[in-house]
């Protein structure tokens, strides 16, 4: 008797194991509930299709966090769920529904619901069987609605770049399973600014891949191709290339495989004849290719996005230009007025003294006239320098900066400029040191080269805080290098990138005068020579400006001419 019970128990366990195996191996989602909504069966395919862990129970046939919707219009929910209809005794042998899942994505399902143990019109349970329907192209009404929603979203705020992630969430999963949008300033590499995957787990993997690897890690070579051609790309993706070695490559390949992206549609964002970004859309395994109609839809979305982003950038640049103009006009009026005030006072004082002495019949002392004229001359020089800077900016803007090239020695030019600054340096308690062990001959415009060295040395003394200033001149083949180092107040890391821009200042104009044009003019002249100027600095520890100039077409024997140290 015990042996028979044991055999029956083993057979029951075997039958249960076989049943569970069959339930898990089927390609359909299977959900079995009793009349009270208790979940008896919920296989792994159901978890995948519904993106939901097995629930304990299902209330009124509605899956937790999910909404059953119409297949032909996913914006309209069903009045009654398929499971509820089955529990009421209705048998649906072939149905088609949409399901909005907990992550917000919508899936189209085909399947059936079967009532079990029906008695007096009420079922003891219900079995739901569904299979995910292959994605089909968007119909005209859905495409028009998507374009309208995208247009409203992009037009809702001036910061169009801040609206690109919500835009992607409109496209995913309506048009694709995943999407990435890239943007970049002119002449710079594109960078991913928003990325979305319909599945939460794979969304994390997508972000990780973009964070750790190059911008075009998803489809290597796609971004450079679109930047070059400005053309849309549409194709199926092959298997990741495993030929290359290296841990970084293998990890990137692992992430790409885990994303299971199969279909690719890449659309450039073009504004005013240049590519400013790219929209990359993807579909997973078992999904159909993107159609020509969907390609045209994506191109129209990309066109509207590019227009919105470019308009927002232009507006931002215009506002910044107005701000800089207003700030410059305030500084310029102050700087131009500063030398005029002592000039006016000195001339007025001299005039009164002349009138008074003339009324008394007395001659005016020559030293008084000389002192006044010295002040006048100093302030006139300052005004001339300010006006010359403004004229230089005007010439640079108009492209009329002309260079008259001749052979000269950069070390001699630096020595001459330092000699001119010696009195000013002495007044500021700054020592000047020049290290130029040999002549560095090249072809440059003497007036403009002197202007560049003057600007760099003037800045070093102005912000040097009474510390020594070191100037070094050296050559490296056909390249000449001049560096100016001070031990002054320094420049913060956030200010360094902008100090060579027009009207930009890294210090308050209340404490340091000037129009904020010197370094801008310096950079423009240096670039006209075909060279570069850069700066390194640390607040409180001084700054170093390095000027590098091509020496031009000079004889080979001039590349190394001994000089006096």
């Amino acid at each position: 008797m015990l042996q028979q019970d044991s055999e029956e128990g083993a057979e029951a366990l075997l039958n249960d194991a076989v049943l569970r195996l069959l339930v898990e191996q089927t390609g359909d989602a299977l959900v079995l509930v009793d009349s009270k909504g208790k979940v008896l069966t919920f296989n792994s395919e159901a978890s995948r299709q519904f993106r939901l862990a097995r629930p304990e129970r299902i209330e009124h046939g509605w899956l937790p966090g999910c909404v059953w919707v119409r297949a032909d219009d996913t914006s309209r929910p069903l009045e009654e769920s398929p499971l509820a209809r089955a529990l009421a005794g209705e048998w649906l042998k072939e149905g088609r529904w949409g399901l909005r899942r907990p992550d917000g994505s919508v899936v189209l399902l085909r399947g059936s619901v079967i009532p079990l143990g029906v008695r007096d019109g009420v079922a003891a349970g219900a079995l739901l069987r569904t299979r995910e329907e292959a994605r089909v192209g968007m119909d005209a009404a859905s495409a028009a609605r998507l374009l309208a929603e995208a247009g409203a979203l992009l037009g809702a705020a001036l910061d169009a770049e801040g609206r690109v992630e919500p835009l992607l969430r409109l496209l995913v999963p309506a048009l694709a399973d995943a999407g990435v949008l890239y943007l970049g300033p002119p002449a710079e590499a594109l960078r991913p600014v928003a990325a979305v995957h319909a599945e939460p787990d794979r969304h994390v993997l997508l972000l990780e891949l973009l964070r750790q690897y190059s911008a075009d890690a998803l489809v290597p070579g796609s971004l450079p191709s679109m930047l070059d051609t400005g053309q849309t790309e549409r194709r199926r993706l092959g298997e990741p290339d495993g030929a290359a070695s290296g841990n970084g490559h293998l990890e990137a390949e692992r992430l790409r495989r885990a994303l299971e992206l199969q279909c690719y549609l890449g659309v450039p964002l073009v504004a005013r004849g240049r590519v400013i970004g790219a929209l990359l859309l993807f579909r997973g395994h078992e999904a159909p290719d993107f159609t020509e109609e969907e390609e045209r839809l994506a191109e129209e979305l990309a066109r509207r996005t590019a227009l919105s982003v470019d308009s927002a950038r232009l507006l931002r640049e215009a506002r910044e230009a107005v701000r800089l103009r207003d700030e410059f006009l305030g500084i310029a009026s102050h700087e131009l007025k500063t030398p005029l005030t002592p000039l006016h006072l000195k001339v007025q004082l001299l005039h009164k003294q002349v009138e008074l002495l003339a009324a008394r019949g007395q001659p005016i002392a020559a030293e008084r006239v000389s002192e006044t004229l010295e002040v006048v001359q100093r302030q006139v020089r300052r005004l001339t320098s300010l006006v010359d800077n403004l004229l230089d900016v005007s010439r640079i803007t108009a492209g009329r900066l002309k260079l008259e090239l001749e052979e000269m020695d950069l070390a001699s030019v630096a020595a001459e400029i330092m000699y001119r600054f010696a009195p000013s340096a002495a007044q500021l308690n700054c020592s000047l040191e020049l290290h130029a062990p040999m002549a560095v001959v090249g072809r440059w415009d003497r007036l403009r080269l002197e202007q560049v060295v003057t600007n760099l040395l003037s800045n070093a003394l102005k912000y040097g805080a009474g510390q020594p200033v070191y100037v070094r001149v050296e050559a490296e083949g056909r390249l000449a290098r001049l560096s100016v180092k001070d031990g002054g107040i320094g420049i913060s890391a956030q200010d360094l990138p902008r100090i060579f821009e027009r009207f930009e200042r890294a210090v308050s104009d209340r404490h340091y005068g000037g129009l904020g044009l010197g370094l801008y003019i310096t950079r423009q002249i240096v670039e006209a020579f075909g060279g570069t100027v850069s700066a390194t600095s640390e607040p409180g520890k001084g700054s170093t400006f390095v000027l590098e100039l091509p020496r031009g077409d000079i004889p080979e024997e001039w590349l190394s001419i001994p000089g006096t140290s």
Side-chain angles (χ1 to χ4, degrees):
M1 184 68 177
L2 289 175
Q3 182 178 358
Q4 182 180 357
D5 291 342
S6 177
E7 290 175 353
E8 290 176 354
E11 184 178 354
L13 288 173
L14 180 60
N15 290 337
D16 183 62
V18 171
L19 179 61
R20 289 179 182 275
L21 182 62
L22 291 174
V23 166
E24 286 300 325
Q25 284 188 339
T26 180
D28 296 340
L30 296 177
V31 180
L32 177 63
V33 298
D34 65 14
S35 61
K36 296 183 178 179
K38 183 179 179 181
V39 177
L40 305 176
T41 299
F42 196 91
N43 67 353
S44 57
E45 179 62 18
S47 294
R48 190 196 68 79
Q49 284 186 23
F50 307 146
R51 293 181 186 165
L52 184 69
R54 171 176 174 154
E56 290 295 324
R57 58 191 315 102
I58 295 175
E59 300 292 341
H60 307 295
W62 294 92
L63 295 163
C66 298
V67 178
W68 292 97
V69 295
R70 292 171 58 97
D72 57 352
D73 184 355
T74 58
S75 64
R76 296 173 59 186
L78 296 176
E79 294 180 359
E80 193 174 15
S81 75
L83 275 170
R85 293 171 65 180
L87 288 172
E90 184 178 354
W91 188 346
L92 300 176
K93 294 184 178 180
E94 187 63 30
R96 184 169 178 265
W97 315 280
L99 185 73
R100 182 172 293 110
R101 298 177 284 202
D103 60 8
S105 63
V106 177
V107 63
L108 295 180
L109 303 171
R110 284 188 180 274
S112 58
V113 282
I114 304 171
L116 303 174
V118 179
R119 184 174 297 176
D120 298 330
V122 179
L127 175 65
L128 170 69
R129 178 192 60 81
T130 63
R131 181 179 295 272
E132 192 170 346
E133 187 176 84
R135 186 194 303 270
V136 295
M138 298 185 74
D139 57 34
S142 299
R145 184 165 57 248
L146 184 61
L147 283 174
E149 291 176 355
L153 181 66
L154 292 170
L158 295 176
D159 180 20
E161 293 185 25
R163 315 296 292 184
V164 293
E165 184 167 344
L167 174 66
L168 277 183
R169 295 193 179 280
L170 277 180
L171 305 183
V172 177
L175 186 60
D177 294 320
V180 184
L181 201 144
Y182 297 81
L183 292 174
E188 292 188 19
L190 299 181
R191 57 184 178 82
V193 295
V196 174
H197 197 293
E199 298 183 24
D201 292 343
R202 287 176 177 163
H203 177 75
V204 174
L205 294 177
L206 176 62
L207 296 181
E208 185 70 11
L209 179 63
L210 295 172
R211 184 183 67 83
Q212 289 195 30
Y213 302 98
S214 62
D216 62 345
L218 277 165
V219 187
S222 60
L223 294 182
S225 173
M226 271 191 282
L227 284 172
D228 289 341
T229 65
Q231 299 296 315
T232 298
E233 296 182 352
R234 175 165 59 95
R235 56 188 168 91
R236 291 186 74 82
L237 299 174
E239 288 296 318
D241 181 15
S245 59
N247 292 334
H249 174 85
L250 293 176
E251 177 61 15
E253 180 181 316
R254 184 191 69 79
L255 290 171
R256 282 196 296 270
R257 287 182 183 276
L259 288 170
E260 295 187 357
L261 302 176
Q262 189 70 42
C263 307
Y264 161 64
L265 175 61
V267 186
L269 274 60
V270 182
R272 291 180 288 154
R274 57 185 176 84
V275 177
I276 65 169
L279 172 64
L280 271 58
L281 298 175
F282 300 90
R283 286 177 179 170
H285 288 303
E286 300 181 1
D289 292 347
F290 290 99
T291 64
E292 291 185 7
E293 291 77 10
E294 289 169 334
E295 180 179 325
R296 287 194 290 270
L297 173 61
E299 287 176 338
E300 177 61 21
L301 285 165
R303 187 190 68 80
R304 296 188 183 192
T305 304
L307 178 62
S308 181
V309 169
D310 190 55
S311 298
R313 286 180 177 176
L314 288 174
L315 178 59
R316 191 162 58 246
E317 290 171 3
R319 287 177 170 175
E320 179 64 11
V322 170
R323 184 192 69 79
L324 288 175
R325 182 205 64 187
D326 292 344
E327 182 179 329
F328 166 72
L329 290 175
I331 295 172
S333 61
H334 171 74
E335 289 296 318
L336 291 170
K337 187 176 180 180
T338 298
L340 285 175
T341 301
L343 184 62
H344 176 71
L345 291 176
K346 279 292 184 181
V347 172
Q348 189 179 48
L349 180 60
L350 180 60
H351 183 259
K352 288 182 178 180
Q353 288 175 343
V354 169
E355 285 185 338
L356 181 61
L357 292 173
R360 296 177 180 176
Q362 298 176 352
I364 186 169
E367 58 271 15
R368 288 187 178 180
V369 176
S370 178
E371 179 190 351
T372 300
L373 290 178
E374 184 180 344
V375 173
V376 169
Q377 188 178 29
R378 187 166 63 247
Q379 301 307 326
V380 167
R381 281 199 301 268
R382 185 174 178 184
L383 278 171
T384 302
S385 176
L386 292 170
V387 172
D388 284 344
N389 278 344
L390 291 174
L391 289 174
D392 279 341
V393 170
S394 176
R395 293 189 189 100
I396 290 168
T397 304
R400 292 186 288 105
L401 184 64
K402 304 299 182 183
L403 301 176
E404 298 180 4
L405 302 181
E406 58 179 300
E407 284 106 8
M408 67 193 69
D409 175 18
L410 179 58
S412 297
V413 171
E416 183 179 341
I417 301 299
M418 293 181 72
Y419 176 77
R420 295 180 195 171
F421 273 96
S424 299
Q427 289 181 355
L428 295 169
N429 295 319
C430 285
S431 63
L432 296 177
E433 295 186 25
L434 172 64
H435 180 76
M438 61 190 308
V440 180
V441 179
R443 286 180 57 81
W444 302 295
D445 183 306
R446 177 173 290 274
L447 180 63
R448 293 303 181 184
L449 185 60
E450 289 181 352
Q451 187 177 1
V452 166
V453 178
T454 297
N455 283 343
L456 295 180
L457 197 55
S458 175
N459 268 6
L461 293 174
K462 185 175 182 179
Y463 304 112
Q467 300 296 320
V469 174
Y470 303 94
V471 178
R472 175 182 291 269
V473 180
E474 53 194 344
E476 185 177 324
R478 293 191 172 273
L479 187 68
R481 184 180 295 109
L482 179 142
S483 61
V484 179
K485 180 179 180 181
D486 67 69
I489 61 174
I491 307 167
S492 65
Q494 60 265 31
D495 288 327
L496 266 178
R498 64 182 182 86
I499 59 174
F500 291 102
E501 299 300 323
R502 185 169 47 178
F503 310 138
E504 290 289 355
R505 305 164 61 88
V507 295
S508 169
D509 58 284
R510 295 183 179 181
H511 301 93
Y512 298 91
L515 297 174
L517 294 174
L519 290 178
Y520 169 75
I521 294 171
T522 295
R523 179 171 67 88
Q524 296 297 323
I525 293 173
V526 170
E527 290 179 355
F529 284 141
T532 61
V533 60
S534 59
T536 56
S537 185
E538 188 175 343
K541 296 185 179 180
S543 306
T544 300
F545 286 80
V546 178
L547 169 69
E548 292 186 338
L549 295 173
R551 300 172 69 178
D553 185 17
I554 60 173
E556 289 290 336
E557 60 268 21
W558 287 12
L559 293 178
S560 179
I561 300 178
T564 57
S565 57

